[in-house]
Amino acid sequence: MDGNRIGIIGGSIGGCATAILLRRAGCDVTVFERSSGRLRDRGQGVGISAETRAELVAENLIDADLPMQPVAERSWIGRDGDAPFGRVLWEHPFTSIVHNWGMLWANLRNRIPDTDYRDGVPVTRIEPDADAVTLHHADGTAERFDVVIGADGYRSAARALVDPAATAEYSGYVLWRGGYPVAELPPTMLDALRRRTVTVTYPGGHAMVMLIPDEQAPGLRVYWALYYQPAQSFSLGIDPITGDLPPGAEDLLTEYFPPSWGEVIAKSRRDTTVVHPVVDIRASRYASGRIALIGDAATVVRPHTASGAVKAVEDALALGRLCRAGADWDAVLTGYDAQRRPAGAALADLGVRLGRAQVTDTPPWTSMTSGDFAEWMRSALDGSRHYLYDVEE
């Protein structure tokens, strides 16, 4: 390779996976993470297929004994008068593995030497030239790298150089999420969630409830995510909001949710919940000059695909394979763009279709038969296959 000094902007899941794989390919890697010690505390769920988890273990990106919560069934539920659990509208089997984001990140981070991971060191300016890229820091220092990888998320500074026209487009709805220790959950609700993901439906959205691993005893926590179309008067940018809700969000729980499932969400302390505007961002290219984009820095896909973290790792795997086989960075980055840009675009398209089907143009959930549900899902998939949604032919 023509130069092996690599700078990675962003040290979350995608940045860590890229650092590990490029180090194994013989590169001298430095990761710059702007936050300081906060990534480990992210407690949301990360769903992946059993096949993807097996690949991550085989590539020695995660430990085989990393705590996980297996799921074997997905239940779609609607309100049925005052029936505590509502009515099961549709059930279908699928195999999913749920991880805790912070625990997954820590497993990756532990594979990177501390000397290669600079915590609390933001990059303030990126200066590319013909055959290298200089990264500037807040203390006035600067470092020159042969290649820079932008793994700096949805607000990526690297993307602004690779594709300045790629901007966030608001979907019209938000994701409200939260969680708490499983000990706070009534035993009947705990039993209802074992090896199952529950989707609570309502006109104009839905919520998902599941169990995810937790570092604290007894090793599980409740995680929920509710999709909601806020009133026009609720304006937001693209950053998450902690402890503040769109008007009317809590009213959904009493008006549309079966009482027991509404209580599961209502138990969360409001100062621990987060509202994420759901946005689409698509870079028209994944590399330019000596800068490449990974994960959300390249394409932000909607959460319905449960693929944000997985896509970032798959980007890293592709880049690592090309780096091991390539003779020069121009060929490697051209090949990377050719492989991962179409894959990201296809996943983004799927997310848009799923968002339309499950939020902005919801069907008459409670009057649908199992056959109606299966046909509705096939229409949303439009020939795509996804482990969370595939139904038998």
Side-chain angles (χ1 to χ4, degrees):
M1 296 289 289
D2 51 338
N4 71 344
R5 192 155 189 260
I6 312 299
I8 299 178
I9 308 172
S12 63
I13 286 176
C16 284
T18 304
I20 294 165
L21 293 162
L22 293 187
R23 287 184 78 253
R24 292 175 185 169
C27 296
D28 177 11
V29 177
T30 304
V31 179
F32 301 97
E33 169 53 43
R34 65 182 177 182
S35 66
S36 182
R38 296 197 301 271
L39 295 180
R40 189 180 299 269
D41 297 330
R42 294 185 182 178
Q44 65 260 43
V46 176
I48 63 178
S49 68
E51 292 77 13
T52 297
R53 188 181 194 280
E55 181 182 15
L56 299 185
V57 172
E59 292 284 346
N60 191 25
L61 287 174
I62 63 173
D63 298 337
D65 62 354
L66 176 66
M68 63 179 183
Q69 177 65 16
V71 180
E73 187 175 62
R74 187 174 189 184
S75 298
W76 300 69
I77 291 174
R79 181 155 187 165
D80 186 15
D82 293 329
F85 292 92
R87 177 165 59 91
V88 176
L89 308 174
W90 187 38
E91 290 184 321
H92 59 96
F94 70 97
T95 302
S96 175
I97 305 296
V98 180
H99 285 289
N100 179 302
W101 194 102
M103 295 169 69
L104 178 62
W105 170 82
N107 214 238
L108 289 160
R109 169 66 183 88
N110 289 341
R111 285 166 163 76
I112 304 172
D114 289 344
T115 53
D116 295 349
Y117 190 101
R118 300 190 191 173
D119 200 30
V121 180
V123 172
T124 57
R125 184 160 61 93
I126 307 169
E127 183 183 4
D129 56 42
D131 57 0
V133 183
T134 301
L135 299 182
H136 297 262
H137 307 297
D139 62 1
T141 61
E143 298 172 82
R144 186 175 171 86
F145 295 93
D146 297 300
V147 171
V148 162
I149 309 298
D152 47 343
Y154 69 100
R155 296 184 68 89
S156 174
R159 186 199 310 119
L161 294 172
V162 173
D163 183 6
T167 56
E169 297 182 8
Y170 177 48
S171 66
Y173 58 93
V174 301
L175 172 64
W176 177 32
R177 64 170 177 84
Y180 46 85
V182 77
E184 299 178 25
L185 199 65
T188 52
M189 302 306 294
L190 179 59
D191 290 341
L193 286 169
R194 290 196 187 277
R195 299 186 64 82
R196 177 184 290 111
T197 292
V198 170
T199 300
V200 183
T201 64
Y202 74 92
H206 67 282
M208 295 183 68
V209 187
M210 66 189 74
L211 301 178
I212 67 172
D214 191 16
E215 292 184 305
Q216 306 300 318
L220 285 174
R221 65 187 287 110
V222 182
Y223 173 73
W224 56 265
L226 190 155
Y227 293 93
Y228 171 62
Q229 300 177 70
Q232 292 290 329
S233 60
F234 184 75
S235 61
L236 27 76
I238 62 173
D239 292 323
I241 301 169
T242 301
D244 189 17
L245 302 184
E250 290 184 301
D251 295 338
L252 297 173
L253 304 181
T254 55
E255 184 174 358
Y256 293 114
F257 279 55
S260 292
W261 293 111
E263 289 172 11
V264 167
I265 294 174
K267 276 181 175 292
S268 292
R269 290 200 342 259
R270 293 302 173 262
D271 61 345
T272 67
T273 66
V274 180
V275 176
H276 294 263
V278 176
V279 301
D280 301 304
I281 304 177
R282 306 186 192 205
S284 63
R285 52 187 176 182
Y286 273 36
S288 177
R290 291 299 184 94
I291 303 175
L293 306 176
I294 290 283
D296 284 354
T299 302
V300 174
V301 299
R302 298 195 190 182
H304 315 291
T305 65
S307 298
V310 173
K311 184 182 78 70
V313 174
E314 289 177 344
D315 288 347
L317 286 165
L319 186 59
R321 286 191 290 266
L322 289 164
C323 184
R324 289 194 298 271
D328 63 79
W329 279 108
D330 289 340
V332 167
L333 297 182
T334 297
Y336 172 70
D337 177 78
Q339 284 187 24
R340 296 307 300 164
R341 179 170 42 83
L347 196 59
D349 288 341
L350 174 60
V352 170
R353 294 197 303 273
L354 292 171
R356 185 182 306 119
Q358 297 181 90
V359 184
T360 59
D361 190 17
T362 54
W365 308 100
T366 55
S367 64
M368 292 167 65
T369 66
S370 294
D372 294 335
F373 267 99
E375 183 55 37
W376 163 77
M377 186 52 66
R378 290 190 190 101
S379 177
L381 291 169
D382 192 28
S384 299
R385 298 192 66 84
H386 194 287
Y387 72 100
L388 285 181
Y389 300 99
D390 261 350
V391 293
E392 296 179 358
E393 295 294 338

